[in-house]
């Protein structure tokens, strides 16, 4: 039996089934609260919710003006999300939540926050925005993240939380090894992320059957190559005509998947997370100080030509 | 049936079983020639041999002076390796070969070359040297690469060969995402590598059962995240008291393993390699120009503190 300590505890990953276009935030928040409660009852101290977890995945639609702005949160917490913060305080839980953020200056980001006991401890804004800027009518659905969001301006913060050092990234970020390396160099011991990944990839449909494989490959490689835990939560299932993959999972610093959802609905999975196990990798095969050779890595950071 | 063209052809991966400490280079070269011949008969245009393919893996022993120097090649080709070059010319084959190099100035490198039709087209010297510098008697075997070799001074060259753009790396390099990214940024379409990977990892024996998984995870992630083919050849089997993993494989730009050895002896595997398939990844999900964000990657290239 695993002993729960400050550094070794159950963590939960809360996958969301589809959110209908007309489903109010209050309904999504009620679903998230129910999963936080379940995670708590299963001993978890932290629960990870998906990207854009309060609404349907609106970048699939061409939108303008008020029809676009209504998908964004202008304050956090706000009245509709407050029950999640209240529950976090009452249960003494941490949670990771993705949502669309509009700043007081009118800037738009695809954002995630980490909250502990009702207090926001950290914020991340998505850096690797996928998709396209202009409407492309040949697509069965749009992916207008590059149009609707600005590139994140907060880097990849690593911060204290849950007895260790935590990091966040969002969806497409997980496919880029630079994301994981920056979090690893920052000392992250557990990375939390959410994703909305369609089963169908219009630019290369010959890879549709590989979506689960590519998701898990990216997560396993990021975990192993940086010796950190990964908790990755999907929005899954048939949402407004678009099939989203599930496959939410928890990955150990060895790269091993230690928990995985088996539905495309609201589903909580948990695994014991021992933050001290990061050292098995980082003090040995991937001892960065002993083995990295950054003087040879210049082109990785060179500006795009 | 796959049609062979300049850009779409069978490639071969030639795994070596163990080489005894007292086995002469002439014997190793005869084994390599037999595998090149087999690869040719199976339609391959290129064959990839392992790291340090001419001798036993000598960094496992503490050695000095002439007892150390005898493992290095001072010229390439030399009399003992010449049959491989001759066969390459006769069969119009390309081959990748790893060996220990001693330069005229007395510098030592863990080196790989790519040869086409008997001519050396490119050289790579291993950058990520694993192991340790001083003898450590608690280990069941040593891993003195950091003592016996200098860090490579040629970067990760990408060069024309086999109708496309080729790259090389060696063994531990494959575990580092920076290796693959540098090769991907250089435009490599097929990366060739060899490895000598013990089943037992003395600093973290609790991971011994994961050696195959970590090998394949590193290769699949490198291939997928950069949209390139990987041909990875092991030295395998029980060599001088040390078990080396096999698992030599060919990986497609989708990250899928398309061929894998099933022994720990001399074994040739082949797969059709279509270099034009790299575009499925590189023109879409990993379109570097559209989606990389190098201004955020600074810490990856920062000197070690």
């Amino acid at each position: 039996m695993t002993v729960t300590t400050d550094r070794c505890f159950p963590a939960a990953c809360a996958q969301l089934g589809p959110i209908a276009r007309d489903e109010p935030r209050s309904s999504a928040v009620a679903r998230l609260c129910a999963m936080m409660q379940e995670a708590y009852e299963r001993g978890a101290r932290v629960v990870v919710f998906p990207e854009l977890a309060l609404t349907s995945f609106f970048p699939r639609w061409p939108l303008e003006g008020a029809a676009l702005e209504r998908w964004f949160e202008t304050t956090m917490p706000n009245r509709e999300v407050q029950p999640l913060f209240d529950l976090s305080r009452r249960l003494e839980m941490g949670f990771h939540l993705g949502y669309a953020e509009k700043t007081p200056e009118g800037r738009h980001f695809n954002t995630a926050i980490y909250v502990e006991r009702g207090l926001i401890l950290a914020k991340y804004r998505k850096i690797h925005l996928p998709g396209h800027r202009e409407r492309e009518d040949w697509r069965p659905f749009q992916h207008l993240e590059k149009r609707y969001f600005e590139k994140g301006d907060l880097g990849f913060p690593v911060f204290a939380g849950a007895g260790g050092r935590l990091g966040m990234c969002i969806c497409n970020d997980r496919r880029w090894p630079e994301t994981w390396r920056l979090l690893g160099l920052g000392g992250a011991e557990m990375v939390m992320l959410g994703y909305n990944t369609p089963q169908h990839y219009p630019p290369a449909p010959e890879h549709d059957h590989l979506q689960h494989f590519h998701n898990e490959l990216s997560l396993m490689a990021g975990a192993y190559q940086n010796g950190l835990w990964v908790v990755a939560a999907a929005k899954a299932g048939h949402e407004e005509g678009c099939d989203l993959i599930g496959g939410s999972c928890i990955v150990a610093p060895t790269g091993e998947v230690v928990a995985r959802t088996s539905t495309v609905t609201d589903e909580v999975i948990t695994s014991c997370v021992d933050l001290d196990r990061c050292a098995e990798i980082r003090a040995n095969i991937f001892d960065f100080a002993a083995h990295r050779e950054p003087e040879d890595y210049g082109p990785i950071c060179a500006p795009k030509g």
Side-chain angles (χ1 to χ4, degrees), chain A:
Chain A
M1 188 193 144
T2 309
V3 177
T4 297
T5 67
D6 275 359
R7 301 269 300 161
C8 180
F9 53 85
C13 177
Q15 177 175 282
L16 269 171
I19 300 181
R21 186 165 185 165
D22 62 2
E23 185 169 340
R25 284 166 173 77
S26 57
S27 165
V29 168
R31 291 164 63 185
L32 298 174
C33 284
M35 290 201 284
M36 187 186 290
Q37 183 71 41
E38 178 180 343
Y40 171 78
E41 287 165 12
R42 290 166 64 182
R45 177 194 296 178
V46 174
V47 57
V48 176
F49 297 122
E51 176 193 33
L52 301 175
L54 302 174
T55 67
S56 202
F57 187 76
F58 64 89
R60 73 168 67 91
W61 297 301
L63 300 165
E64 280 181 63
L68 174 60
E69 299 300 332
R70 80 172 189 82
W71 299 96
F72 288 81
E73 315 301 315
T74 54
T75 56
M76 185 58 60
N78 54 40
R79 191 176 49 81
E80 289 172 303
V81 181
Q82 190 61 47
L84 208 47
F85 281 68
D86 294 342
L87 190 59
S88 157
R89 185 176 300 113
R90 186 157 64 75
L91 302 180
E92 303 191 341
M93 289 275 286
F95 72 90
H96 165 279
L97 177 74
Y99 65 98
E101 175 191 15
K102 182 178 178 182
T103 71
E105 300 77 31
R107 301 174 68 188
H108 299 75
F109 297 101
N110 188 337
T111 295
I113 49 173
Y114 179 71
V115 178
E116 238 174 53
R117 303 180 185 205
L119 297 174
I120 297 175
L121 296 193
K123 178 184 279 191
Y124 168 70
R125 291 168 170 162
K126 187 173 182 176
I127 287 178
H128 295 95
L129 295 168
H132 47 105
R133 243 171 224 100
E134 303 304 326
R135 179 173 173 161
E136 297 180 1
D137 282 331
W138 63 270
R139 293 175 183 259
F141 49 85
Q142 303 295 300
H143 199 126
L144 290 163
E145 286 195 62
K146 280 201 196 287
R147 183 180 191 86
Y148 295 161
F149 302 115
E150 250 184 83
K151 180 170 84 77
D153 60 350
L154 302 175
F156 288 96
V158 176
F159 52 94
R165 293 183 61 75
L166 307 180
M168 298 185 274
C169 65
I170 302 179
C171 194
N172 181 51
D173 282 322
R174 76 195 187 286
R175 303 184 192 269
W176 297 85
E178 290 89 349
T179 296
W180 300 102
R181 183 59 95 221
L182 290 163
L183 289 161
L185 288 169
E189 296 171 308
M190 185 172 82
V191 172
M192 303 169 287
L193 69 104
Y195 57 94
N196 283 262
T197 298
Q199 180 73 55
H200 177 51
Y201 180 62
E206 64 272 30
H207 298 173
D208 284 0
H209 66 293
L210 300 174
Q211 290 292 353
H212 275 283
F213 168 58
H214 286 160
N215 173 52
E216 212 159 285
L217 175 58
S218 301
L219 300 173
M220 294 190 301
Y224 167 58
Q225 290 173 331
N226 297 280
L228 45 77
W229 291 87
V230 176
V231 184
K235 170 106 76 59
H238 193 73
E239 184 180 273
E240 298 294 348
C242 181
D243 281 304
L244 300 172
I245 67 164
S248 304
C249 60
I250 302 177
V251 188
T254 53
E256 294 166 285
V257 174
V258 294
R260 186 192 290 120
T261 55
S262 60
T263 72
V264 286
T265 64
D266 290 9
E267 181 179 351
V268 176
I269 55 174
T270 64
S271 175
C272 281
V273 163
D274 182 350
L275 299 177
D276 288 333
R277 288 202 60 197
C278 298
E280 290 174 18
I281 295 287
R282 290 209 202 164
N284 295 303
I285 189 84
F286 296 136
D287 178 338
F288 290 165
H291 299 308
R292 289 186 83 242
E293 301 293 356
E295 65 268 42
D296 286 288
Y297 301 160
I300 293 172
C301 303
K304 287 194 272 196

